[in-house]
Amino acid sequence: MVKTTKFGTYRQFILESEELRVSVMELGATVTGVDYRGKRVGLGYESAEDYLTHDAYLGAIVGRFANRIGGGSFPLNGRRVELPRNEGANTLHGGPDSWDRRVWQGHIEGESVLFTLVSPAGDNGFPGRLTAAVRYTVTGGALRIDFEGDADADTVFAPTSHMYFNLRGTGSVLDTHMRIPARGVLEVDEALIPTGRVLPAEGAFDFSGLRPVGQNYDHAFVLDGSRACEAVCGGVRLTLDTDFPALQFYTGAFLGEPFGENGGFAVEPEFYPDAPNHPDFPSALLRAGEHFRRYAVYSFSDAE
Ligand code: BGC
């Protein structure tokens, strides 16, 4: 069932099944809360204002390019695209005028909510007029997100959902048990820009079996199939399935009160960071007339 409400001045939609309640507002097409069997496991701020004063991208759809583009520029069709930089020399999460501050058009379509955003040519430096569509659907214990996009000129497109989770509901997430079936982890420099090397997921990066997180992460794992991760804590299991090629696992955010540091972890289905500067990474190129389509499914269940 889908209902319409308000969150501050913004329209908000509530998607509900017996197990799951997901609220999504038109600002940033942001998930403002996920409750599994009455427990808040997907984090959200108290007020709409909080979303405008923090920069954790909490629950938002990030675009046009999630994660970093090194040097804030990339080659496209024989010329260089220059982007505004918002993290030192680099462009993070699409740049300074980020999509989490945009008001999307939302409407109910059956059991889903469909959000669309028209990003004009040159938006934050990105070529082409891009129409992005993000569909949220709740079925049983699962929240499915479908990402789509169409552009009228060649461009890059690499959105993500930036939800943070805390499966116990409160406290640190460092004792959450995590499994990430990965083929490797991207080596990065001190600014978190990939060097191009894929390292084996060993030692601190070995999440081949469920084990406590234990320390902070802000790394891109190269996925090995559609199961991106499994997380267990507080009697709740979250699995994430996706056809994006990588997963950014991020624990270090200071989300503000009442979450504090390590109060949530983000598991972001993504293209590889800086993909437009690495011809050997899976391509984030979206050609004019081509249709972009990717999905992510977050499934919640009881864990012993
Ligand atoms: C990035 C972090 C960044 C954060 C911003 C994450 O996706 O990996 O490096 O600080 O987003 O909230």
Side-chain angles (χ1 to χ4, degrees):
M1 236 240 311
V2 187
K3 290 184 298 205
T4 315
T5 59
K6 282 252 161 189
F7 189 61
T9 56
Y10 300 105
R11 277 184 90 204
Q12 173 158 274
F13 301 88
I14 315 288
L15 299 104
E16 237 168 334
S17 68
E18 224 170 88
E19 301 101 304
L20 215 54
R21 182 183 191 274
V22 177
S23 47
V24 198
M25 67 167 164
E26 61 184 359
L27 177 69
T30 299
V31 173
T32 56
V34 179
D35 298 292
Y36 173 68
R37 297 194 188 284
K39 179 163 76 165
R40 174 57 51 101
V41 292
L43 305 181
Y45 290 125
E46 284 286 299
S47 78
E49 272 301 295
D50 292 333
Y51 287 88
L52 300 169
T53 53
H54 290 89
D55 58 2
Y57 304 85
L58 183 64
I61 296 298
V62 176
R64 293 189 190 187
F65 196 95
N67 217 309
R68 295 172 175 80
I69 295 184
S73 82
F74 61 93
L76 180 73
N77 295 343
R79 66 181 185 94
R80 277 212 89 72
V81 175
E82 293 290 337
L83 305 174
R85 292 150 201 184
N86 60 337
E87 193 190 52
N90 307 313
T91 302
L92 172 67
H93 290 334
D97 180 16
S98 52
W99 279 15
D100 57 318
R101 309 288 156 100
R102 311 281 178 92
V103 175
W104 293 56
Q105 288 294 323
H107 59 264
I108 299 171
E109 276 194 4
E111 292 304 299
S112 306
V113 178
L114 179 68
F115 287 97
T116 53
L117 181 75
V118 176
S119 168
D123 187 8
N124 257 348
F126 288 96
R129 177 181 194 266
L130 175 85
T131 304
V134 172
R135 179 187 301 273
Y136 291 97
T137 311
V138 167
T139 317
L143 165 63
R144 180 181 171 107
I145 309 180
D146 290 285
F147 303 84
E148 296 189 47
D150 296 279
D152 67 358
D154 293 359
T155 190
V156 295
F157 187 39
T160 194
S161 162
H162 212 295
M163 285 187 276
Y164 292 84
F165 301 96
N166 185 321
L167 301 181
R168 196 193 298 105
T170 56
S172 168
V173 292
L174 295 188
D175 62 344
T176 298
H177 284 64
M178 184 64 83
R179 185 170 75 86
I180 304 176
R183 282 197 287 116
V185 61
L186 295 189
E187 184 184 66
V188 287
D189 68 15
E190 57 293 335
L192 298 181
I193 304 300
T195 62
R197 291 178 63 204
V198 180
L199 304 176
E202 292 170 353
F205 298 111
D206 180 0
F207 283 104
S208 54
L210 267 183
R211 56 122 175 134
V213 171
Q215 64 171 69
N216 277 328
Y217 287 89
D218 194 359
H219 293 90
F221 290 81
V222 175
L223 294 177
D224 188 21
S226 61
R227 174 55 49 86
C229 73
E230 174 183 0
V232 179
C233 190
V236 178
R237 167 176 286 106
L238 163 65
T239 58
L240 171 57
D241 293 278
T242 187
D243 57 356
F244 277 97
L247 182 78
Q248 184 81 11
F249 178 39
Y250 178 51
T251 57
F254 178 70
L255 299 175
E257 296 307 333
F259 312 114
E261 203 172 339
N262 308 128
F265 65 86
V267 277
E268 308 155 40
E270 284 180 359
F271 281 90
Y272 296 13
D274 202 26
N277 286 309
H278 293 272
D280 52 333
F281 285 179
S283 175
L285 182 67
L286 178 62
R287 291 203 182 278
E290 244 174 37
H291 187 63
F292 178 96
R293 186 193 288 274
R294 296 273 168 170
Y295 75 91
V297 180
Y298 307 76
S299 302
F300 297 88
S301 57
D302 296 333
E304 42 317 306

